[in-house]
């Protein structure tokens, strides 16, 4: 099933949002020009999906946009602008909130290309973390979900000790949950796109891959362990609720 967008528009990325005010469901789509369209999603009595355009805005400063993620408790959308910054906007269709630039290329921590963005929920709206991919340096920045979105740390994903799994490089998309997912992922996991999949025999796979990393090994590792960052992660968060 397909639904038309506005003329001369090529969809590049998307993310979904459920309003805490009205319970209505929305879909954000973007194109490389940084134009965002917000659609309200409804269904007919027979279950046919219907879409209605409710908002049209430019994300960031007009540079090519990449990933986005919404915060359904706080009513926000976070989006990456590839050449320059991580931004936050209001996610309600009637929002007049100006974009808030959380991080900027050149600030000593953020590097182009700013790509995937994901949100780790906490038990309260002021708990949790935003994670963004800095593709050009194959690293990831972590920011607090709560305003003013303070910087927490930067991490990379290295190869396994036995050499069977390679390091992650040139990440596009990223996703994370803090939900308890069994023995291997007691505090949730981070899933990242790995552009160049180096094989144990030294060759490179023709296909990219996805790597899974325990969130505990990121937020609860080394010097960060004493900060108790995992206390702000909701291990009972249900992505289906």
């Amino acid at each position: 099933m397909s639904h038309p967008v506005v003329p001369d528009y090529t969809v590049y990325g998307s993310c979904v949002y459920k309003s805490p005010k009205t319970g209505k469901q929305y879909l954000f789509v973007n194109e490389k020009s940084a134009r965002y369209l917000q659609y309200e999603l409804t269904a007919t009595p027979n279950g046919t999906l219907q879409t209605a355009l409710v908002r049209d805005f430019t994300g960031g400063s007009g540079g090519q946009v990449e990933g986005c993620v919404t915060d359904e408790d706080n009513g926000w959308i976070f989006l990456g602008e590839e050449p320059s910054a991580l931004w936050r906007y209001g996610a309600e269709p009637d929002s007049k909130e100006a974009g808030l630039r959380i991080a900027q290329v050149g600030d000593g921590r953020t590097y182009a290309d700013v790509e995937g963005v994901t949100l780790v929920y906490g038990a309260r709206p002021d708990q949790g973390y935003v994670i963004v991919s800095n593709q050009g340096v194959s690293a990831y920045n972590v920011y607090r979900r709560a305003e003013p979105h303070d910087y927490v740390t930067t991490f990379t994903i290295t190869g396994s000790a036995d050499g069977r799994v390679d390091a992650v490089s040139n990440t596009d998309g990223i996703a994370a949950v803090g939900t308890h997912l069994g023995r291997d992922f007691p505090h949730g996991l981070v899933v990242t796109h790995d552009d160049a999949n180096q094989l144990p025999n030294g060759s490179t796979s023709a296909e990219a891959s996805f790597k899974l990393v325990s969130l505990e090994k990121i937020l609860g590792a080394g010097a960060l362990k004493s900060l108790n960052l995992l206390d702000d992660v909701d291990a009972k968060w249900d992505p289906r609720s």
Side-chain angles (χ1 to χ4, degrees):
M1 179 182 295
S2 63
H3 287 257
V5 290
V6 297
D8 301 318
Y9 189 93
T10 302
V11 175
Y12 185 59
S14 65
C15 53
V16 294
Y17 173 66
K18 181 179 180 181
S19 170
K21 294 181 178 180
T22 65
K24 293 181 178 181
Q25 298 275 0
Y26 298 94
L27 172 69
F28 288 92
V29 297
N30 66 37
E31 68 169 2
K32 291 184 178 182
S33 69
R35 186 180 181 186
Y36 269 83
L37 304 178
Q38 183 175 0
Y39 288 89
E40 181 180 340
L41 306 180
T42 56
T44 64
N46 66 3
T48 301
L49 176 67
Q50 292 184 316
T51 60
L53 181 62
V54 294
R55 187 179 174 197
D56 184 337
F57 67 100
T58 298
S61 61
Q64 179 176 323
V65 290
E66 289 287 341
C68 63
V69 68
T70 63
D71 183 335
E72 295 184 346
D73 293 333
N74 290 302
W76 295 330
I77 176 173
F78 297 93
L79 59 93
E81 183 181 3
E82 181 177 283
S84 60
L86 172 67
W87 296 83
R88 191 200 80 195
Y89 286 82
E92 291 295 321
D94 59 353
S95 175
K96 305 300 182 185
E97 179 183 326
L100 173 68
R101 187 167 53 199
I102 297 170
Q104 183 175 7
V105 171
D107 62 12
R109 298 165 175 160
T110 308
Y111 298 88
D113 294 346
V114 180
E115 295 277 340
V117 187
T118 190
L119 174 66
V120 179
Y121 275 82
R124 303 194 313 261
D126 63 346
Q127 294 179 317
Y129 303 94
V130 179
I131 305 175
V132 59
S133 166
N134 295 317
Q135 186 184 62
V137 293
S138 300
Y140 311 85
N141 287 357
V142 181
Y143 300 89
R144 290 195 180 274
R145 178 190 184 192
E147 295 182 281
H149 309 298
D150 291 334
Y151 168 82
V152 177
T153 190
T154 297
F155 67 93
T156 59
I157 300 175
T158 59
S160 63
D162 61 8
R164 298 182 63 185
V165 181
D166 67 314
V168 174
S169 59
N170 298 323
T171 293
D172 279 319
I174 180 172
V177 293
T179 309
H180 174 77
L181 296 173
R183 182 183 62 186
D184 292 333
F185 305 105
H187 294 279
L189 81 160
V190 175
V191 182
T192 69
H193 159 261
D194 180 16
D195 181 61
N197 189 29
Q198 302 292 328
L199 302 177
N201 63 9
S203 64
T204 302
S205 172
E207 297 84 20
S209 66
F210 291 89
K211 301 297 197 295
L212 280 65
V213 181
S214 171
L215 190 62
E216 183 178 23
K217 292 184 177 180
I218 297 169
L219 297 181
L224 296 178
K225 188 173 184 179
S226 63
L227 299 179
N228 299 316
L229 298 177
L230 290 170
D231 289 350
D232 278 356
V233 174
D234 185 4
K236 297 181 180 179
W237 181 72
D238 183 357
R240 298 179 179 86
S241 63

